[in-house]
Amino acid sequence: MGSDTQIQAMAEAIAAIQMRIAAAAGRVGRSSEDVCLIGVTKTHPVERIALALAAGLQHIGENRVQEAVSKFEPISELYPHSTWHLIGHLQSNKARRAARLFDYIHSVDSVHVAMALNQAAAERPQGRLNILLQVNVSGEGSKQGFDLADWQTHSSLTEAWFHEVEQIVALPHLQLRGLMTIAPWGSDPEQARPHFVSCRMLRDALQQRFPEQPLIELSMGMSDDFELAIEEGATQVRVGRALFGERSSKL
Ligand SMILES: *Cc1c(COP(=O)(O)O)cnc(C)c1O
């Protein structure tokens, strides 16, 4: 659990990020309540997650199912109400474990994976599994996500994607909540801004096409660019290093 001083230090780190979130939201007339801080704990040990939860963090992000399983089990009894987000690539053969463990899957990037999750989610006592569709709107960096870099100029690409989304929203055990994107890595965070704008516009286009779906969430922004992402509409920011320090191994 950690000592009182450790919990205090963690609480201060969380408060510092929350203040930056509030300032970014304030700059564009948004409320900080509309932005959820997800603490990304990949590579960090269980003790550190427990500390963050003791210090008041509610949302935990992990990018590997296997790693999350081993961390979740010792923690779930102590903190049964914490909310777990899978933010890394998901293979369909891990869908079953992912559906049992996570509250949100941010990385759905094919109809195939959505169908596997839907089947797995049928057994969930918690009910429908929340999903986001991961979109690649930059054409650079991570090759994961639906390839939509040219969606604004190629309407046939967008239409084909809408057709795939149609199949996903028809799945009864999933609840589509919005979109997730990872901006390409760059030395200047400002370079991420147009990709965040594109992701928001794509979400708006999707919402227009599927008016009955609650497409509220935009999961975008990490340690180096979460404030920009909030200025451009992010509702969920995934913050690792700015909260927990540098990771010892690269993932
Ligand atoms: C690791 C990771 C993050 C957090 O990155 P930081 O730069 O440490 O804030 C966010 N999103 C995804 C998908 C990640 O894999």
Side-chain angles (χ1 to χ4, degrees):
M1 276 282 278
S3 68
D4 287 351
T5 10
Q6 283 175 313
I7 295 175
Q8 183 61 28
M10 190 72 236
E12 281 166 18
I14 295 168
I17 299 290
Q18 291 289 12
M19 280 180 65
R20 288 171 63 185
I21 289 174
R27 282 198 287 281
V28 292
R30 301 183 59 206
S31 162
S32 59
E33 285 173 23
D34 296 337
V35 183
C36 166
L37 170 61
I38 299 172
V40 176
T41 52
K42 64 187 183 198
T43 77
H44 293 295
V46 167
E47 294 70 34
R48 202 127 170 79
I49 305 178
L51 197 61
L53 293 168
L57 192 70
Q58 166 67 28
H59 295 268
I60 300 294
E62 283 281 340
N63 74 334
R64 292 183 171 189
V65 176
Q66 193 60 47
E67 187 181 339
V69 169
S70 67
K71 291 174 172 180
F72 179 76
E73 276 164 8
I75 286 182
S76 59
E77 298 232 323
L78 276 173
Y79 300 98
H81 301 297
S82 50
T83 308
W84 288 64
H85 300 254
L86 179 66
I87 61 174
H89 184 65
L90 175 64
Q91 289 164 320
S92 53
N93 62 2
K94 302 232 173 77
R96 207 188 173 109
R97 259 175 301 165
R100 195 176 321 139
L101 180 57
F102 291 98
D103 302 291
Y104 277 83
I105 309 285
H106 292 232
S107 47
V108 173
D109 60 0
S110 69
V111 176
H112 178 70
V113 147
M115 288 174 74
L117 275 176
N118 179 63
Q119 195 172 15
E123 300 164 20
R124 269 168 60 90
Q126 311 96 307
R128 280 185 164 207
L129 176 61
N130 297 302
I131 63 161
L132 308 183
L133 303 179
Q134 182 174 351
V135 294
N136 182 344
V137 288
S138 67
E140 306 162 45
S142 162
K143 289 283 164 268
Q144 280 151 20
F146 289 96
D147 183 4
L148 289 156
D150 297 324
W151 77 271
Q152 294 187 74
T153 48
H154 292 67
S155 56
S156 60
L157 180 72
T158 319
E159 274 306 317
W161 182 60
F162 283 163
H163 184 68
E164 291 185 287
V165 177
E166 212 167 272
Q167 298 173 57
I168 294 173
V169 299
L171 299 169
H173 305 297
L174 304 183
Q175 179 60 64
L176 180 59
R177 297 266 173 211
L179 302 182
M180 178 270 220
T181 201
I182 302 175
W185 187 87
S187 48
D188 178 9
E190 254 321 307
Q191 289 171 353
R193 193 185 293 273
H195 306 303
F196 294 147
V197 172
S198 179
C199 187
R200 182 192 66 221
M201 289 171 61
L202 183 58
R203 189 274 314 264
D204 293 347
L206 191 67
Q207 182 70 84
Q208 210 163 24
R209 178 63 177 256
F210 297 96
E212 74 287 0
Q213 298 294 322
L215 304 180
I216 293 152
E217 306 294 354
L218 278 175
S219 168
M220 51 189 204
M222 318 191 344
S223 287
D224 293 330
D225 55 20
F226 70 90
E227 288 144 307
L228 290 180
I230 291 167
E231 287 174 15
E232 300 305 340
T235 62
Q236 296 178 320
V237 291
R238 311 178 304 266
V239 179
R241 289 166 303 128
L243 201 49
F244 299 107
E246 292 297 325
R247 288 178 286 274
S248 50
S249 61
K250 281 204 163 176
L251 269 183

